[in-house]
Amino acid sequence: MRTIGYHHGDLRRTVLDAAVEAIGESGLDGWSLRELARRAGVSHAAPAHHFGDKAGLLTALAAEGFDLLADTLREAGPDFLAAGLAYVRFATEHPAHFGVMFQPKLYRADDDAVRQARDRAGALLAQGARTVAASAGSEITARAGWSIAHGFASLWLAGALPMPPNTDPLDAARPVLRRLLDH
Amino acid sequence: MRTIGYHHGDLRRTVLDAAVEAIGESGLDGWSLRELARRAGVSHAAPAHHFGDKAGLLTALAAEGFDLLADTLREAGPDFLAAGLAYVRFATEHPAHFGVMFQPKLYRADDDAVRQARDRAGALLAQGARTVAASAGSEITARAGWSIAHGFASLWLAGALPMPPNTDPLDAARPVLRRLLDH
DNA sequence: ACGGCGAACTTGTCAATGGAAAGATAGAGA
DNA sequence: TCTCTATCTTTCCATTGACAAGTTCGCCGT
């Protein structure tokens, strides 16, 4: 766990964090592996040892993202509104992960770690979304719930929703998600 | 309108089309300006004259995309289900445009052409989404309608929705969008 | 203690890229 | 015909992703 010397000690984590930061600043492709290496204070080829290539790094980020999402959903419980708000919260708190996760062409979506984490999040998601209306076709309902939460989160992150400044995304999302429940 | 010689005749359109094709094949950043130039049969610096830089090209694509979306929505009319399906149809028929449009960091979102086209699409969108339930708070309703259509389209394009192969996205979207109307 | 084994990291290199600068071409109007 | 100007080419440079080969050092068995 040293921070200086030939062996960094925790390069993998450091580079992942640097990637998250860089993506947050400059978007999904406004950065370079070499820049991350510079931020971490290592040589330009060091990251390759841990991730192979750029897609490898993004694959690790996607897997981490699905894991974080699954944790968030698990904590929120099986209620639709709670799960939907948790989904939006995850997206706004981890925009870099969220952005990568749903851009499968950027990484290796068939990676084992990614697939496992995604399945775990998917199961929790379906469970939460299905509580919208137990009577109605649950597949359709699950898709509607996921769509509205994902759509709101995506539009929010894209800055497409005209909102007064300093609006809390969760406060904005709550009535929108509720529209699926009651009219 | 020549296809050979020093002056291409329609380079701007040709490069835009090549970009759409390349994005469709390799994703939002799996291509290069030089590759587009090669496909168009011109020198690697020719596109720069029309677009300035890569962000300029994507700015043009985004503007075109918002214009296409506005046209699609206008044809669909003010009914929510029709507008929502039109939105999904636009996304699936023009995935490259759609992908760029909602990734503002890729282009100059404050460009005049972009802003005008986006505002036009936004107005039509709000109008359509508001017909979900005229009585309820129309702002919230509009956001819910937009969210569910946008979310479904995004998840569909990301391949996140497990579906039998050869499913028509519109057939899949219809019952999902309807979930917002009736329970 | 100590010796070597392998993971972690570095240095060096190459083709490809984005972008800028400066020159060449040709179509269109005076 | 002559000139003007948008369009396109050629040349050049710093940066990048990826690979190959060499270096360092933590760790494990003895």
Side-chain angles (χ1 to χ4, degrees):
Chain A
M1 205 65 74
R2 338 212 336 254
T3 56
I4 192 176
Y6 206 100
H7 287 66
H8 180 283
D10 203 12
L11 222 209
R12 185 186 161 88
R13 182 98 298 270
T14 302
V15 170
L16 279 176
D17 291 343
V20 169
E21 195 179 327
I23 292 175
E25 292 169 4
S26 322
L28 288 177
D29 65 336
W31 50 275
S32 67
L33 282 178
R34 288 166 113 102
E35 182 193 336
L36 303 188
R38 279 191 295 271
R39 292 202 198 189
V42 294
S43 81
H44 66 84
H49 175 73
H50 293 277
F51 304 105
D53 56 8
K54 210 171 180 179
L57 202 177
L58 293 174
T59 301
L61 257 193
E64 187 174 69
F66 281 113
D67 263 331
L68 282 170
L69 175 58
D71 291 346
T72 304
L73 290 174
R74 189 172 41 73
E75 289 169 15
D79 173 65
F80 166 70
L81 190 58
L85 286 174
Y87 194 93
V88 173
R89 186 160 55 83
F90 167 77
T92 54
E93 287 181 355
H94 305 280
H97 288 88
F98 187 79
V100 173
M101 288 157 65
F102 294 97
Q103 209 99 50
K105 284 190 175 167
L106 286 179
Y107 62 96
R108 284 181 272 278
D110 58 340
D111 176 86
D112 271 346
V114 169
R115 191 153 25 192
Q116 286 180 18
R118 184 179 44 214
D119 290 349
R120 186 160 80 96
L124 288 162
L125 204 62
Q127 173 191 338
R130 221 174 266 124
T131 68
V132 174
S135 57
S138 60
E139 273 303 309
I140 301 297
T141 305
R143 281 179 211 146
W146 191 8
S147 291
I148 199 167
H150 186 85
F152 183 90
S154 300
L155 292 171
W156 177 272
L157 290 180
L161 293 170
M163 290 278 181
N166 299 331
T167 303
D168 180 355
L170 294 187
D171 290 339
R174 203 177 336 263
V176 171
L177 295 178
R178 231 197 282 274
R179 220 1 117 260
L180 196 61
L181 300 173
D182 43 67
H183 284 169
Chain B
M1 202 66 74
R2 335 207 344 249
T3 56
I4 191 176
Y6 206 100
H7 285 64
H8 180 284
D10 202 12
L11 222 210
R12 185 185 162 87
R13 181 99 298 270
T14 301
V15 170
L16 279 176
D17 291 343
V20 169
E21 195 179 326
I23 292 175
E25 292 170 5
S26 322
L28 287 177
D29 65 336
W31 49 276
S32 67
L33 281 178
R34 289 167 115 101
E35 181 193 337
L36 302 188
R38 279 192 294 271
R39 291 201 199 191
V42 295
S43 83
H44 67 84
H49 175 72
H50 293 275
F51 304 105
D53 56 7
K54 211 170 178 178
L57 202 176
L58 293 174
T59 301
L61 257 192
E64 187 174 70
F66 281 112
D67 262 331
L68 282 169
L69 175 58
D71 291 346
T72 305
L73 291 175
R74 190 171 40 72
E75 289 169 14
D79 173 63
F80 166 70
L81 190 57
L85 287 174
Y87 194 94
V88 173
R89 186 160 55 83
F90 167 77
T92 54
E93 286 180 355
H94 305 281
H97 289 87
F98 186 80
V100 173
M101 287 157 65
F102 294 97
Q103 209 98 52
K105 285 192 174 166
L106 287 180
Y107 62 95
R108 286 182 272 277
D110 58 340
D111 175 87
D112 271 345
V114 168
R115 192 153 25 193
Q116 286 180 19
R118 185 179 43 215
D119 289 350
R120 187 160 79 96
L124 289 162
L125 205 61
Q127 173 191 340
R130 221 174 267 123
T131 69
V132 174
S135 56
S138 59
E139 273 303 308
I140 302 296
T141 305
R143 281 177 211 148
W146 191 8
S147 291
I148 200 167
H150 186 85
F152 183 90
S154 300
L155 292 171
W156 177 273
L157 291 180
L161 292 170
M163 288 277 182
N166 298 332
T167 303
D168 180 357
L170 294 187
D171 290 339
R174 197 170 294 110
V176 171
L177 296 179
R178 232 196 283 272
R179 221 359 120 262
L180 195 62
L181 300 173
D182 41 67
H183 286 167

